[in-house]
Amino acid sequence: MLGELCARYPQQAGLIWLCAGGAAMAGTGLRAAAGVVEKKRFFIWTAVFLACAGFSFVSGFLLLSDADRVTELESELEKMTRGCAGLVEGRVAAVRNSNGGRQLILDHCFVRMEGKDFELSGDGRILADCGWDTAAEPGERVRIRGKLQLPRSARNPGEFDFRAYYRAQRILCFLREGKLEGKSGQKNVASAFLLHLRERLSGSLKEMAGEEDGALFCSMLLGDKSGQDQEVRSLYQQNGIAHILAISGLHISLAGAGVWALLRKAGAGYWSAGASGFLFVAAYGWMTGGSVSAVRAASMYGVQLLSGCLGRTYDTQTALSAAALGILWQEPLQLFQSGFQLSFLSVLSAGTIFLALRNWDRLPGGRTGKIFIGVKDALLLSISVQLGTLPALCSHFFIWPPYGLLLNLAVIPLMTVVFLSGFAGIFWGLVTNAAGSFLLGAGRWVFGFYQRLCLAAGELPGAVQVPGIPELWKIIVYYVVLSLICCALRTAVRKSGPQRCGRKIPGARIAVPAAVVLLAAGLFWLRADSASWAHLDILDVGQGDGLMLYTGEGTVFMIDGGSSSRKNLGEECLVPYLQSQGVSRIDCAVVSHGDEDHISGLRQLMEEGFPIGELVLPDILHPDENYRQLEEAAKRSGVPVRLLKAGDCWKGGETEIRCLHPPDRFSWTETNSYSTVLKIISGDFRILLTGDLDQAGEDALLRSGADLSCNVLKVAHHGSRFSTSVKFLELADPQYAVISAGEGNSYGHPHRELIKRLEGRGIRIFQTLQSGMVRIVPGKNAPPEGYLGE
């Protein structure tokens, strides 16, 4: 029976086993902290609980991994480099707006692609991008023709993993450029009504408040993020207040409580008022798209109403656990998403860390003014939430804005003004636009105040800290220590008792400074240490080159950074990667040559003001246009420029970088001919980087008599057939070769002739288009490692 349930609901079973493991470990810790286990039995109990926890965790992760297996449709789409035309028939589960049109989320789908038929189970969904004129209602069954495509997976550290994000929503693939060919069946009346209401309210808000402010109102009140200004979102995120752009669970609960109170005053009974309030909250959450925070708030509000109706005491932790299990039972992979983690950790922190610090700070020993207590509690709550969510923030966003602690003291209270102003404007806007616009004015003033506040905070020193992605064991240690501190504080409060009343207790009323110190220590502990050990990362930038060299002494080199297949390489790949590694500054950016697929991302970094110590260009005669434009961009950004030629050398710690090509004042016929060739030496390990060196440049390098011997060869020109000759390979004699090329590129890179030359010498090949980022660690003298595996 148990085996059948696990086979039928693998994700849910994995979730249950994970929770069981967590409960076992928590039970062990609580028993130890409370001292309820006798000393002679403590080790036996600990061994039993830890064994159960280990078994549960391993079983849970195996089941979740099995549930995340690739479907037959996904397997077929994996073979298609740019998608495949197909026909999808499915039921419309939801409709939402995007910047380019309407999106239909389809379930119970039947797919026909290249003469093959695929049927998805009820758990599998397809996201269809359609035009604004597509008339389809929730509940209807539609036929849509378009181009099927898989969501993009993260191929480098720090990149947003669209595939995992949509997998958590059970969306397996996209249907691009969808054209509606027919529909049938009955629409879901309730869903259709809420959809039209949302669209009408959204249009009304944008008409009364303008496109920019209207989009902010729509995002905060209706969950409609279409039309949201990306610059405003980035500004809010960099200052730690991006959470206000989502539906506030607190305001949903307050709205439900308001409905309940009004009905009670009108004479409704406890049960009827509670049921009406819950239905209002549920309908509002459904209308706004059913985000995690909205579902959590509605679930917790329902538990609160139920406990009141049954005459039970409401417990935040119990309600939070019930909400989490309800969400994860439907979509277990939400457990690994930032929205779920931050939403639940925030509430949990407010109900545990904040109460522990606040009660400890209010041990007997003096009187304090009410205003001071209110301000102090607000600051303590903000710090407590930051303490509880810090590992999740570092893991998903890689940055931490310290001034966000203070900004939220002003931002969060004013959100109530935005909330009331928005709903008052919506209500009176149904009567007259003039009245609605007037009432929305208060919220619009708050938006302007938020923007000025963020711009001012961004000018302060140390406005953004870049801790990077912490290791899992550091996160575990962090939460264990934080839990023990909270347990110790609660124990101190319990032991203080009435008999201590009126006596000053050492450590009282220093909760805020103590919490700040604890937060700083946590940030230092969780900081990534990527720059503290020598390694080379060859990023998957598509059709181009992008390498990051860490010397082990804290110095970071960027060697090329461009792509001809990815437009926003700097914003979408390079900056997230650097931040995920805890890197906030590039000490030296080396450019092999001026082709766009080697400099486009670097140019974007300079234009956006990313700190770069110096730009190093090859010392050549008659620079080309791209070369000169890059020099000018560096001058505008205040980045000093240095020229590099054969014979130049840099050494730091155990890492040495030698330039082998081009020679001094080299004259070239093609840009690829002057590509800089670098040799990285770390102990007995050698890496040879050849840029886009063509046959002419390779011949010049061979005539120079330079020592080309290496362990790893970064193959020239993305695996072109005209580079990396047999003679070159004989002199280099590498064990491993790495090729950076884009998937489905029009050049046919890497060429089959080149692959045969490498395989003929027994060289093990790594390709970024297969493995994603490739990491080389010289100190280990081990083969390169692919981010996605070999």
Side-chain angles (χ1 to χ4, degrees):
M1 179 67 178
L2 181 61
E4 292 180 3
L5 287 173
C6 289
R8 186 173 181 181
Y9 303 105
Q11 291 182 330
Q12 287 79 356
L15 172 65
I16 291 171
W17 281 113
L18 283 174
C19 292
M25 294 192 73
T28 305
L30 289 174
R31 281 175 172 270
V36 297
V37 180
E38 297 178 14
K39 290 183 179 179
K40 63 181 180 181
R41 296 184 180 179
F42 172 72
F43 293 105
I44 298 175
W45 275 106
T46 301
V48 170
F49 273 93
L50 290 180
C52 293
F55 174 76
S56 298
F57 272 115
V58 171
S59 302
F61 276 113
L62 288 175
L63 286 166
L64 281 172
S65 300
D66 181 62
D68 199 28
R69 62 187 180 276
V70 177
T71 65
E72 186 181 0
L73 175 61
E74 290 174 298
S75 180
E76 287 294 321
L77 288 174
E78 285 277 10
K79 304 172 186 177
M80 315 292 178
T81 58
R82 301 185 185 277
C84 179
L87 176 69
V88 175
E89 182 179 343
R91 184 179 67 89
V92 180
V95 181
R96 60 193 188 192
N97 296 332
S98 68
N99 291 332
R102 304 188 83 187
Q103 293 181 328
L104 309 182
I105 299 177
L106 309 177
D107 59 11
H108 299 91
C109 298
F110 176 84
V111 181
R112 174 161 292 171
M113 180 181 70
E114 291 190 339
K116 296 181 180 179
D117 295 337
F118 305 91
E119 186 174 0
L120 302 183
S121 65
D123 289 334
R125 295 177 172 181
I126 293 177
L127 180 66
D129 286 322
C130 304
W132 287 109
D133 57 344
T134 302
E137 305 281 3
E140 292 181 329
R141 193 159 186 86
V142 297
R143 292 189 307 279
I144 303 178
R145 190 176 297 277
K147 184 181 292 185
L148 287 158
Q149 192 176 54
L150 288 176
R152 178 180 172 84
S153 299
R155 302 183 63 82
N156 302 287
E159 280 188 342
F160 187 78
D161 195 335
F162 287 95
R163 192 165 186 179
Y165 172 76
Y166 284 106
R167 264 280 190 169
Q169 303 173 49
R170 292 175 287 164
I171 294 174
L172 304 183
C173 64
F174 299 146
L175 185 71
R176 302 296 191 188
E177 303 171 10
K179 300 294 182 183
L180 183 66
E181 292 192 349
K183 59 181 181 178
S184 60
Q186 297 294 321
K187 67 180 180 181
N188 185 313
V189 178
S191 296
F193 170 76
L194 292 174
L195 170 65
H196 291 306
L197 178 62
R198 179 186 182 185
E199 290 182 342
R200 181 178 178 183
L201 296 179
S202 178
S204 177
L205 281 171
K206 291 179 180 179
E207 182 181 351
M208 292 185 293
E211 283 296 324
E212 184 174 329
D213 289 344
L216 289 174
F217 274 117
C218 291
S219 178
M220 297 176 185
L221 303 179
L222 304 175
D224 181 5
K225 293 182 173 58
S226 62
Q228 194 176 93
D229 191 294
Q230 187 59 39
E231 291 185 6
V232 173
R233 183 175 183 82
S234 298
L235 183 65
Y236 284 13
Q237 185 172 332
Q238 290 173 3
N239 288 275
I241 64 170
H243 57 88
I244 67 174
L245 296 176
I247 296 294
S248 170
L250 174 63
H251 289 128
I252 289 179
S253 300
L254 291 177
V259 171
W260 179 84
L262 288 174
L263 290 175
R264 287 286 290 159
K265 286 186 177 180
Y270 202 99
W271 281 93
S272 58
S276 300
F278 177 74
L279 287 175
F280 172 80
V281 168
Y284 180 63
W286 191 359
M287 181 185 72
T288 57
S291 66
V292 167
S293 59
V295 175
R296 175 193 56 74
S299 301
M300 294 182 69
Y301 179 70
V303 173
Q304 184 178 16
L305 289 174
L306 185 62
S307 64
C309 292
L310 297 176
R312 301 286 185 178
T313 302
Y314 173 73
D315 175 51
T316 302
Q317 285 77 13
T318 302
L320 193 66
S321 300
L325 289 173
I327 293 172
L328 294 176
W329 182 261
Q330 292 296 320
E331 296 175 352
L333 295 179
Q334 284 287 351
L335 180 67
F336 307 106
Q337 295 301 306
S338 61
F340 178 89
Q341 293 178 9
L342 292 175
S343 179
F344 280 85
L345 284 173
S346 297
V347 178
L348 186 62
S349 302
T352 54
I353 302 173
F354 169 65
L355 291 181
L357 292 170
R358 181 182 184 228
N359 292 336
W360 170 58
D361 196 45
R362 291 191 180 179
L363 288 173
R367 297 181 179 179
T368 312
K370 291 184 179 180
I371 296 178
F372 177 75
I373 289 178
V375 173
K376 185 180 66 174
D377 282 354
L379 182 58
L380 199 57
L381 176 61
S382 180
I383 298 173
S384 299
V385 171
Q386 290 291 324
L387 277 169
T389 59
L390 184 60
L393 286 169
C394 295
S395 298
H396 294 288
F397 302 106
F398 328 126
I399 63 173
W400 182 74
Y403 300 114
L405 293 172
L406 299 176
L407 291 181
N408 277 296
L409 294 180
V411 167
I412 293 177
L414 288 175
M415 274 302 296
T416 302
V417 176
V418 174
F419 186 79
L420 296 175
S421 170
F423 275 103
I426 288 174
F427 178 78
W428 286 101
L430 299 175
V431 180
T432 168
N433 278 359
S437 298
F438 175 77
L439 292 169
L440 290 174
R444 298 184 68 182
W445 179 87
V446 172
F447 293 152
F449 175 71
Y450 283 172
Q451 190 163 356
R452 291 191 295 271
L453 203 61
C454 289
L455 291 173
E459 298 297 325
L460 297 175
V464 177
Q465 297 296 312
V466 187
I469 301 178
E471 296 177 79
L472 180 59
W473 71 270
K474 287 187 175 183
I475 295 176
I476 294 173
V477 171
Y478 175 87
Y479 277 124
V480 168
V481 172
L482 189 61
S483 300
L484 292 176
I485 291 173
C486 290
C487 288
L489 292 179
R490 295 186 68 177
T491 302
V493 171
R494 285 199 305 268
K495 288 184 177 180
S496 66
Q499 69 277 12
R500 301 285 297 273
C501 190
R503 297 170 57 187
K504 291 187 177 181
I505 297 176
R509 291 190 300 280
I510 61 168
V512 171
V516 170
V517 171
L518 186 61
L519 184 60
L523 187 67
F524 177 78
W525 169 255
L526 293 170
R527 186 176 294 275
D529 58 353
S530 298
S532 63
W533 50 287
H535 61 284
L536 174 70
D537 286 346
I538 302 175
L539 304 182
D540 180 8
V541 294
Q543 186 65 15
D545 266 359
L547 297 84
M548 296 291 174
L549 173 65
Y550 303 84
T551 65
E553 299 293 316
T555 305
V556 180
F557 284 83
M558 178 179 181
I559 304 170
D560 286 338
S563 175
S564 59
S565 60
R566 299 186 63 175
K567 293 182 180 179
N568 299 320
L569 183 69
E571 179 184 354
E572 296 176 358
C573 176
L574 298 181
V575 171
Y577 162 79
L578 289 166
Q579 290 179 342
S580 72
Q581 304 303 296
V583 175
S584 57
R585 182 180 188 272
I586 296 172
D587 296 289
C588 181
V590 183
V591 171
S592 64
H593 65 298
D595 281 359
E596 192 70 12
D597 61 340
H598 288 249
I599 65 171
S600 63
L602 173 59
R603 187 170 56 236
Q604 291 169 17
L605 292 185
M606 289 192 293
E607 290 172 352
E608 293 170 5
F610 192 92
I612 298 175
E614 66 174 346
L615 175 67
V616 177
L617 298 172
D619 187 4
I620 59 173
L621 292 172
H622 315 300
D624 56 277
E625 184 63 25
N626 282 355
Y627 186 107
R628 286 193 293 267
Q629 288 181 2
L630 194 61
E631 276 188 306
E632 293 173 2
K635 291 177 182 177
R636 288 195 301 270
S637 303
V639 178
V641 178
R642 182 164 62 89
L643 299 181
L644 184 69
K645 62 182 181 300
D648 289 346
C649 182
W650 182 93
K651 188 171 183 179
E654 297 182 356
T655 303
E656 181 180 350
I657 305 174
R658 296 177 185 172
C659 179
L660 306 183
H661 182 80
D664 187 18
R665 311 299 289 171
F666 181 65
S667 181
W668 48 276
T669 54
E670 297 289 338
T671 56
N672 292 338
S673 301
Y674 73 78
S675 281
T676 302
V677 177
L678 299 175
K679 188 172 185 177
I680 301 169
I681 303 172
S682 180
D684 296 331
F685 202 91
R686 289 162 170 75
I687 306 171
L688 191 63
L689 310 179
T690 53
D692 271 4
L693 197 67
D694 61 7
Q695 188 171 357
E698 193 173 294
D699 290 341
L701 178 61
L702 293 175
R703 288 194 302 268
S704 71
D707 180 12
L708 303 179
S709 61
C710 61
N711 301 87
V712 180
L713 171 66
K714 165 63 175 59
V715 176
H717 204 189
H718 320 293
S720 168
R721 64 185 295 191
F722 303 110
S723 299
T724 319
S725 64
V726 173
K727 185 177 181 181
F728 184 90
L729 287 174
E730 288 176 353
L731 293 175
D733 192 26
Q735 297 170 266
Y736 311 105
V738 182
I739 302 173
S740 176
E743 186 178 15
N745 66 84
S746 59
Y747 307 100
H749 294 159
H751 201 276
R752 281 178 292 181
E753 288 187 19
L754 182 276
I755 297 295
K756 287 182 180 179
R757 286 202 294 270
L758 295 174
E759 291 176 342
R761 296 190 59 84
I763 299 171
R764 189 173 170 186
I765 304 170
F766 293 81
Q767 300 184 44
T768 58
L769 59 85
Q770 295 175 350
S771 305
M773 182 198 79
V774 177
R775 171 165 290 175
I776 304 168
V777 184
K780 292 183 178 180
N781 199 22
E785 299 175 359
Y787 183 67
L788 304 177
E790 295 185 20

